[in-house]
Amino acid sequence: MQDSASDLLMSPDTGRRICEMLDESAWAKDLAWTDIQALSSYMTLLDFQKEETIFSEGDSSDYMAIVLYGVVEIVKHEEGDEFSTKFLVRLGPGRAF
């Protein structure tokens, strides 16, 4: 496993790994291998630090993210009598959000 996105970009196996990860994902199950290869050429690798916020509820975006390595936790911050955080889901490699 690589330490960061920049290490992955330097790896000769990066394109193959991204294609395999896409091929294993539930949302791409009906895509042909050539379609997966074409799709992977539009992807950008980003590296986030532990506990870094990727986006917040209500943010607009024009992308979909797929976990290549590590874990992403999706939480909801709720306000009431006291500010609280509700855990929703934990996503690992190959999962999209």
Side-chain angles (χ1 to χ4, degrees), residues 1-12:
M1 187 172 299
Q2 304 292 328
D3 292 330
S4 69
S6 60
D7 291 339
L8 284 168
L9 288 171
M10 299 305 292
S11 168

Side-chain angles (χ1 to χ4, degrees), residues 61-76:
S61 68
D62 59 356
Y63 63 90
M64 176 179 75
I66 303 170
V67 179
L68 184 59
Y69 66 92
V71 174
V72 170
E73 291 184 346
I74 298 177
V75 299
K76 181 172 181 65

Side-chain angles (χ1 to χ4, degrees), residues 25-53:
S25 68
W27 65 269
K29 67 181 179 179
D30 296 325
L31 296 178
W33 183 252
T34 54
D35 294 332
I36 289 171
Q37 288 175 308
L39 179 61
S40 72
S41 69
Y42 291 95
M43 301 188 113
T44 301
L45 295 174
L46 301 173
D47 191 24
F48 296 95
Q49 299 300 313
K50 184 176 182 174
E51 297 188 22
E52 182 177 354
T53 299

